[in-house]
Amino acid sequence: MESLYHIYRRRGYTRRDFLKSVLLLSAVLGFPPTSFGQAVKALELKPKPVVIWLEFQDCAGCTESFIRSTSILPSDVLLDYISLEYHETLMSPSGFYAEEAKREAIEKYKGKYILIVEGSVSPRNKGVYCTVSGKSNVELLKEAAQNAGLVIAVGSCASWGGIPHAEPNPTGAVPVSQILGDRQVVNIPGCPPISDVMVAVIAGFVITGKPPELDSMGRPKTFYGQTIHDRCYRRPFYNAGKLAGSFDDESARKGYCLYKLGCKGPITRNACATIRWNGGLSFPIQSGHPCFGCSEPNFWDRGFIYSPLSVVEGGFGWKGILAGVATGVALGAASAAINKKFREK
Amino acid sequence: MGDTTFYDLVRGPLLRFALFIFFAGISYRFFRVVFLGLPPDYAKPKGNPYYMAVKKIVIKPTMGWTFNEIFSRRAVNFIGGFLFHLGFLGLTFFVPAHALLWREITGLPIPTIPNLLGDILAYAALGSLLALTIHRMLNPVLKLLTGKDEYFANFLIGAILFTGLLATKWAGGGFYVWILSTHMLLADLLIIYIPFSRLSHFVYYFLSVGFMGWNAGKRGVSF
């Protein structure tokens, strides 16, 4: 099977282009400069990775993001580089032939293939809410994960349950890791995740032969080690206390921090502020919209998208104050009455 | 528990619980005393009790402001106490993040202060709190009056100020959420602790000083 280098040459790119891509990839993955030679050698000689991509309760947004990778690997190389043996959205066969292709790939590349899961899993009522070819999603996941070399959950749905998991969660949606138990799952959350992050994790696995270093929630530390706030280009405005008051006032036009408008950058781990989107062109905060923390667990249920981080979640208000005061007055009156009774005795 | 889950807990249900306990506790302690009532006093007021109550609340803090009192005898108490209260209350209500919180709770248009002023207040409050605590530990009279309550309160407030400063200045990566959550957790604890400790002077100071003024006004004496 072809390596990445061969694909580059076949597509008409030069060796210099190939080396530049590997250099960028090494930098994005945080490899030390000394390992550049090892990365070049691996991608020059190792066959392209075999990927089985399962979709459960999803919107295919992660797939859409994935095929638009531009800065690390040109999109025309990317789809050639990865041997996508099964992908419901991208493959041409369907029905029996598609399922047969998957079964054959699992057999042929036992222990070597990368399993990517998009969308949450629904185990409720024996998985009846999400089935493919008569099999429940739980069954399909377990079957494919059993012999996988690496399991990657892409998107917030696969990583945390995402939007299907939001209240009232009618299908009982859960993240991939919950179904697979002790099996290590690399979570690449986001709605959708950044394409270059997905590509880099796959390529990193090809280079090193092992999964990336993960944090306690199974996210690659290289991309999710810091908050968006820490790397945001608007951070100096935050530090100076210069906050935009609305979406279209003078302060917003000057590019002030979007904290007051509900930005969740301070508590959201993702690489949006560094790698950015669309080939490094922009990201939500740069376009003037506050981050709403799509890569964090339960982001949809949080609900306070346009409220500043410091406000009480769910509100308190005068009703809360009056409830507290009324309770206090009632307790005070009861206490005074009891005291009076004792004094009279 | 992940850091954002913890953050959601301390800024959501726990903060709501703390605020409820605060308002219930403060009202309970106040009305427990009010409902006990005062013995009937049939004497006609000799002065103006309500005017004197307000006057006492307004001018009491400045009554001891003589040069000798401040600089020769109780310098740490006066200067430290003034700086600490100014700093702590200024930060609590007028730093942008806090002002937005109070706006949400009360619906009132709370103004915000610039970050530079916030920094000055924070360092002033933290420095004066340290000086006041050391003063308490060394001054023989204050030492006798001080119990675990005061040390715990000082530690709690100091930790809140310190973590608040860290949360504003921190640019060291992923621990930011934990620092912010710790700051909010400690603030939740303080809000719960206020009604049941001497920190309740935050509310009762005005009531007791006002009552003293009212009493003086009723008797027609000066204070």
Side-chain angles (χ1 to χ4, degrees):
Chain A
M1 203 180 274
E2 281 181 307
S3 69
L4 179 66
Y5 178 61
H6 291 123
I7 298 165
Y8 260 79
R9 294 314 300 266
R10 181 162 54 77
R11 290 267 175 187
Y13 292 98
T14 62
R15 180 167 174 79
R16 178 173 286 271
D17 293 326
F18 169 72
L19 292 176
K20 274 157 76 178
S21 286
V22 180
L23 189 62
L24 179 63
L25 185 66
S26 302
V28 166
L29 283 164
F31 288 165
T34 46
S35 67
F36 177 60
Q38 185 202 338
V40 171
K41 208 171 174 183
L43 293 171
E44 207 171 10
L45 302 174
K46 284 190 184 177
K48 59 184 184 180
V50 175
V51 171
I52 293 176
W53 188 300
L54 298 181
E55 289 179 76
F56 296 132
Q57 298 193 113
D58 70 323
C59 66
C62 302
T63 299
E64 293 285 350
S65 171
F66 182 72
I67 59 175
R68 278 163 181 77
S69 168
T70 46
S71 49
I72 292 183
L73 296 181
S75 48
D76 57 331
V77 171
L78 173 67
L79 290 175
D80 231 358
Y81 167 57
I82 291 162
S83 176
L84 264 178
E85 294 293 320
Y86 182 87
H87 192 305
E88 288 164 18
T89 306
L90 301 178
M91 70 199 302
S92 34
S94 61
F96 171 81
Y97 296 104
E99 296 309 306
E100 193 55 21
K102 186 178 75 180
R103 195 193 58 74
E104 275 177 16
I106 290 175
E107 282 288 310
K108 193 173 169 189
Y109 303 105
K110 212 171 188 176
K112 289 177 189 161
Y113 64 88
I114 298 171
L115 173 67
I116 298 182
V117 187
E118 181 182 354
S120 59
V121 193
S122 160
R124 185 176 287 173
N125 295 336
K126 296 179 182 171
V128 74
Y129 302 116
C130 181
T131 61
V132 180
S133 69
K135 286 184 179 175
S136 82
N137 56 161
V138 177
E139 201 182 334
L140 290 166
L141 175 63
K142 283 181 177 171
E143 188 182 276
Q146 203 177 6
N147 296 313
L150 178 71
V151 181
I152 302 175
V154 295
S156 289
C157 298
S159 302
W160 320 127
I163 291 172
H165 178 267
E167 286 292 326
N169 190 4
T171 62
V174 295
V176 169
S177 54
Q178 200 168 313
I179 299 292
L180 296 184
D182 292 339
R183 181 79 157 87
Q184 188 188 46
V185 177
V186 178
N187 288 325
I188 306 182
C191 192
I194 301 169
S195 55
D196 293 329
V197 171
M198 293 187 267
V199 175
V201 170
I202 295 170
F205 180 67
V206 174
I207 295 169
T208 61
K210 54 186 183 190
E213 198 186 344
L214 306 176
D215 67 8
S216 61
M217 293 166 84
R219 299 172 293 195
K221 276 186 182 174
T222 314
F223 305 107
Y224 296 90
Q226 285 172 329
T227 61
I228 289 176
H229 187 62
D230 276 336
R231 290 288 174 264
C232 183
Y233 78 104
R234 295 193 194 221
R235 177 68 186 263
F237 289 114
Y238 173 86
N239 286 354
K242 292 183 171 178
L243 311 175
S246 76
F247 283 103
D248 56 356
D249 65 2
E250 190 54 31
S251 54
R253 274 190 280 277
K254 283 179 180 166
Y256 287 1
C257 173
L258 303 171
Y259 183 89
K260 256 190 197 176
L261 302 175
C263 187
K264 305 294 174 286
I267 59 157
T268 304
R269 287 195 171 81
N270 208 337
C272 299
T274 42
I275 296 180
R276 305 192 184 190
W277 290 78
N278 302 326
L281 181 70
S282 184
F283 71 115
I285 292 172
Q286 195 173 340
S287 69
H289 191 280
C291 161
F292 60 79
C294 72
S295 57
E296 290 297 326
N298 304 324
F299 81 95
W300 197 256
D301 281 335
R302 278 210 184 113
F304 60 112
I305 287 178
Y306 296 110
S307 304
L309 265 178
S310 59
V311 306
V312 193
E313 193 186 340
F316 192 76
W318 287 106
K319 275 185 188 170
I321 296 174
L322 285 176
V325 170
T327 310
V329 173
L331 287 173
S335 164
I338 292 167
N339 281 341
K340 206 175 169 188
K341 218 173 183 182
F342 272 113
R343 259 187 311 188
E344 279 166 4
K345 274 186 184 176
Chain B
M1 184 186 277
D3 53 3
T4 45
T5 318
F6 182 62
Y7 180 77
D8 282 347
L9 174 76
V10 296
R11 67 177 291 285
L14 194 58
L15 181 55
R16 275 204 301 277
F17 173 74
L19 286 168
F20 178 81
I21 295 291
F22 173 82
F23 286 111
I26 286 285
S27 315
Y28 164 71
R29 286 193 58 191
F30 176 65
F31 282 98
R32 192 183 60 169
V33 175
V34 167
F35 287 132
L36 284 175
L38 286 171
D41 185 353
Y42 300 109
K44 229 178 170 183
K46 290 176 182 167
N48 188 340
Y50 296 104
Y51 168 71
M52 290 295 271
V54 173
K55 191 178 168 188
K56 182 81 174 168
I57 291 170
V58 174
I59 69 163
K60 165 81 169 59
T62 61
M63 281 171 71
W65 286 15
T66 59
F67 184 85
N68 274 350
E69 186 72 31
I70 294 173
F71 290 102
S72 64
R73 305 221 312 257
R74 297 169 64 194
V76 179
N77 264 17
F78 267 93
I79 299 169
F82 180 75
L83 276 181
F84 169 74
H85 282 86
L86 187 73
F88 189 68
L89 294 176
L91 291 168
T92 303
F93 293 105
F94 304 116
V95 158
H98 299 168
L100 294 171
L101 171 69
W102 294 115
R103 261 184 224 178
E104 165 81 13
I105 293 173
T106 62
L108 301 172
I110 313 272
T112 58
I113 55 173
N115 267 22
L116 179 66
L117 184 57
D119 287 352
I120 293 169
L121 290 180
Y123 290 121
L126 203 55
S128 53
L129 180 69
L130 190 67
L132 287 167
T133 312
I134 294 170
H135 183 55
R136 258 184 192 282
M137 291 157 82
L138 299 181
N139 184 299
V141 179
L142 275 176
K143 203 174 171 183
L144 278 174
L145 295 170
T146 306
K148 284 174 190 167
D149 187 34
E150 278 76 16
Y151 288 123
F152 177 69
N154 284 14
F155 171 76
L156 193 57
I157 293 171
I160 290 172
L161 287 167
F162 183 68
T163 50
L165 258 174
L166 268 187
T168 318
K169 305 292 166 206
W170 186 264
F175 287 115
Y176 176 81
V177 185
W178 284 115
I179 289 167
L180 198 60
S181 306
T182 309
H183 175 66
M184 296 190 77
L185 174 71
L186 293 171
D188 290 346
L189 289 180
L190 181 69
I191 292 169
I192 294 173
Y193 186 60
I194 285 173
F196 309 106
S197 66
R198 290 189 187 177
L199 291 175
S200 54
H201 76 271
F202 166 59
V203 176
Y204 299 132
Y205 167 82
F206 301 99
L207 297 172
S208 54
V209 168
F211 181 71
M212 282 160 68
W214 182 82
N215 226 353
K218 199 158 193 294
R219 287 160 195 268
V221 294
S222 63
F223 41 76

